[in-house]
Amino acid sequence: RNFNRRLANVLALVDLSCAAYESFLAACLRELRGLIMSSVKRALFERVLSESHSGNDHWMQKNKIPTVTLDRNKAAQHAKTLRADRKGTRTVFGQLFSQIHGVSSAGARTDASLLRNSHRAWYTILAGERADDYGGPYRDVFNQACQELMSPALHLFIPCPNNVSNAGQNRGKWVLNPKALDSVSLAMYEFVGKLMGIAMRTKNPLAVNLPSLVWKSLCNDDVSIADVRAIDSDFSERLKMINGLSNDELVETQTKFVIPGLDEQIVDLVPGGSNTVVTPETRSLYMEMAKKYRLHEIDKQCHAIARGLATQVPRNLLSIFTWRELELLVCGPPEVDVNVLKANTVYGEGLSEANYSVQLFWQVMEQFSQEARQKYIRFVWGRSRLPFSTADWERKHKINKLPKTPADEYLPLGHTCFFTLDLPMYTSKKVCYDKLLYAVTHCIAIDADETTVARQAADGGEWVDDDDDDENV
């Protein structure tokens, strides 16, 4: 504690961008990252971010720079094709990418500094939807783009080997696609890095379920074979088996100089590896080459993400965060804690926590699964995770009374721009549960604003398929 108290006064004076041979002090602090309190690191990080913001929510609402126009009908129609959006033009993520980042050879990109707003990185127009972006549409498309990343809608991330084999731990993790190495894919990874930095600036979580292998690379921590083992138990068992064979047993297995990659595709470790047998004399070489390949298999993709991340946040400061702290900064807490939500809730006129219908609401939230709770957060806030800490809550969750009778026949209303729920005064827990679950599952369209901007957006969303944009998958 005394170390952290003293460090808090001098940490800003250390140049963490220096390599180990340039600054012994910077190298020591990186080694001690696990001993430095998160509060000390975050205080400096947040101060640096606040000094480099390009504007705030009021500035964005007034200037609307940059503005993106997104056609979610186009994304929905593309999803039905079950093809990956390899060009980055059809999904919500792809449309964001093409308008904000794109491929460097295709023309000018949006100035990265314009994305450093403290609340929203861009102003959103939803073509064909009656919505005026006071924050709700922005958060909703940010969340939708994240969902697309962790799905077959895009080719950038694939389920980890443990997911495919249904064995080992971390089966829910996604890994970077080792085959996504073309210029468009690498540009997309750069944009993913930008979104990570934007998530940290705006406190709007980017809920990507990535393994330590990726996070360590982004905060300049050493990646070890244990990080590979955490998402690919078969690889670990394979090396253990080969290492434990006697010389005669190894010769009998006719093991070749190949290894399955993260995508389960067989890779030659040496030229002609599929025809080169591992012998007792080359066993150690095979083991080292296999480990080296898997440790660096997705380096290019990670480096691309890091380049995008560095345009939004000071990446050198991230080198004193642990990988778990970085994950929390980007993704927020993975679970929706009802007690935290309740502690950050206020009530409209005529309501309080003691109201019977409000009590039913909280009982239902306790009963909801994590998936249903995340859907509720999206229903009222356009995002699926709560902020990292109480200090990051830009506004309180609010519950208003919906004055409709008979209440049991009405669904609740969510206002994503204002983190507000209009709650009918339900008379039973079952009715409250059924109505709320139906609303958060099926009533997620943003289509109720009556402003001029919203009406203009609603008139601009007809999508026609483009034959010349066909993709080979």
Side-chain angles (χ1 to χ4, degrees):
R1 185 174 297 176
N2 185 48
F3 165 72
N4 278 275
R5 185 168 59 249
R6 293 174 181 271
L7 182 63
N9 296 322
V10 299
L11 185 57
L13 303 177
V14 181
D15 187 354
L16 293 167
S17 66
C18 291
Y21 69 89
E22 296 174 313
S23 172
F24 177 72
L25 180 57
C28 287
L29 288 176
R30 286 192 288 267
E31 286 295 317
L32 295 173
R33 69 179 77 202
L35 298 179
I36 304 175
M37 290 181 178
S38 293
S39 57
V40 173
K41 292 179 269 194
R42 284 207 71 191
L44 174 60
F45 186 70
E46 294 298 336
R47 191 174 82 205
V48 172
L49 290 188
S50 66
E51 292 173 354
S52 59
H53 288 321
S54 62
N56 55 24
D57 200 41
H58 175 73
W59 185 94
M60 178 62 69
Q61 201 61 39
K62 178 182 178 181
N63 296 282
K64 298 177 174 55
I65 299 174
T67 292
V68 297
T69 301
L70 304 175
D71 190 339
R72 296 205 288 186
N73 179 53
K74 178 178 183 178
Q77 293 297 324
H78 176 71
K80 295 177 182 178
T81 69
L82 303 179
R83 295 182 299 172
D85 183 16
R86 295 179 179 272
K87 294 183 180 180
T89 58
R90 298 189 175 193
T91 56
V92 168
F93 172 89
Q95 293 176 60
L96 283 171
F97 162 75
S98 61
Q99 293 181 53
I100 294 175
H101 188 84
V103 182
S104 57
S105 61
R109 294 176 174 176
T110 297
D111 185 348
S113 65
L114 292 176
L115 303 175
R116 299 178 195 149
N117 190 283
S118 61
H119 285 72
R120 283 182 283 163
W122 59 79
Y123 181 85
T124 305
I125 294 176
L126 297 176
E129 299 182 56
R130 200 165 74 249
D132 192 355
D133 186 11
Y134 281 85
Y138 168 80
R139 288 188 294 269
D140 201 52
V141 299
F142 201 87
N143 186 71
Q144 188 171 345
C146 178
Q147 291 178 336
E148 290 172 341
L149 284 171
M150 303 286 102
S151 79
L154 291 158
H155 64 295
L156 303 178
F157 298 89
I158 57 176
C160 73
N162 280 355
N163 178 291
V164 176
S165 64
N166 198 29
Q169 300 177 331
N170 300 307
R171 300 181 199 181
K173 300 293 184 183
W174 291 67
V175 294
L176 282 62
N177 186 346
K179 296 295 190 295
L181 289 168
D182 60 278
S183 60
V184 175
S185 296
L186 292 178
M188 285 183 174
Y189 282 124
E190 285 186 16
F191 186 57
V192 170
K194 283 185 177 180
L195 292 182
M196 287 182 175
I198 288 168
M200 286 188 270
R201 275 190 179 274
T202 62
K203 309 300 182 292
N204 187 51
L206 185 74
V208 286
N209 198 3
L210 305 177
S212 59
L213 188 70
V214 176
W215 296 116
K216 283 188 175 182
S217 175
L218 297 179
C219 63
N220 291 324
D221 200 358
D222 294 329
V223 177
S224 71
I225 203 65
D227 298 303
V228 177
R229 186 185 307 121
I231 54 170
D232 191 352
S233 57
D234 286 349
F235 171 77
S236 178
E237 290 301 317
R238 175 186 175 86
L239 293 191
K240 183 178 179 181
M241 181 271 293
I242 292 174
N243 192 47
L245 293 175
S246 68
N247 288 345
D248 290 341
E249 289 172 333
L250 178 62
V251 171
E252 186 177 341
T253 62
Q254 290 290 291
T255 300
K256 303 297 194 300
F257 261 86
V258 297
I259 197 73
L262 284 171
D263 57 356
E264 301 297 313
Q265 299 298 307
I266 300 300
V267 177
D268 287 354
L269 294 176
V270 296
S274 57
N275 297 314
T276 306
V277 176
V278 178
T279 66
E281 293 75 23
T282 59
R283 182 198 326 235
S284 61
L285 176 62
Y286 171 82
M287 300 281 288
E288 288 305 312
M289 293 187 73
K291 292 177 182 178
K292 182 178 180 180
Y293 176 80
R294 292 303 296 273
L295 286 173
H296 301 284
E297 185 177 7
I298 52 175
D299 277 0
K300 290 183 179 180
Q301 293 87 337
C302 286
H303 292 161
I305 292 176
R307 287 195 298 273
L309 182 63
T311 68
Q312 299 303 307
V313 298
R315 191 168 171 242
N316 59 306
L317 286 184
L318 298 182
S319 66
I320 56 172
F321 286 86
T322 67
W323 72 266
R324 292 185 186 278
E325 290 171 333
L326 176 59
E327 182 182 26
L328 272 175
L329 281 175
V330 174
C331 304
E335 295 187 349
V336 176
D337 188 325
V338 175
N339 291 326
V340 171
L341 181 63
K342 185 184 292 188
N344 287 277
T345 297
V346 295
Y347 301 93
E349 184 178 355
L351 280 188
S352 71
E353 191 175 335
N355 179 274
Y356 179 68
S357 297
V358 171
Q359 291 180 354
L360 292 180
F361 167 81
W362 289 118
Q363 291 172 21
V364 167
M365 287 298 294
E366 290 282 1
Q367 190 176 341
F368 269 1
S369 65
Q370 279 297 325
E371 181 182 5
R373 292 178 189 177
Q374 290 172 357
K375 288 180 178 179
Y376 172 75
I377 298 301
R378 183 179 181 187
F379 178 69
V380 294
W381 209 8
R383 53 194 274 179
S384 60
R385 295 194 180 191
L386 297 179
F388 176 76
S389 66
T390 300
D392 294 336
W393 287 69
E394 62 183 61
R395 66 170 69 240
K396 297 291 186 180
H397 172 233
K398 186 175 184 179
I399 300 178
N400 288 326
K401 179 190 295 185
L402 183 66
K404 298 283 188 178
T405 57
D408 289 351
E409 294 184 6
Y410 288 88
L411 291 170
L413 299 177
H415 303 277
T416 57
C417 288
F418 307 106
F419 198 9
T420 298
L421 176 74
D422 291 346
L423 180 70
M425 296 294 96
Y426 295 124
T427 60
S428 74
K429 182 178 177 181
K430 184 180 186 310
V431 171
C432 184
Y433 183 98
D434 292 343
K435 296 291 187 181
L436 189 60
L437 183 61
Y438 183 90
V440 303
T441 303
H442 301 288
C443 306
I444 59 174
I446 300 178
D447 199 30
D449 292 339
E450 292 296 342
T451 65
T452 301
V453 172
R455 288 193 292 271
Q456 290 174 343
D459 292 335
E462 185 176 356
W463 175 60
V464 179
D465 197 0
D466 231 347
D467 289 338
D468 62 357
D469 195 30
D470 285 343
E471 302 168 20
N472 296 319
V473 180

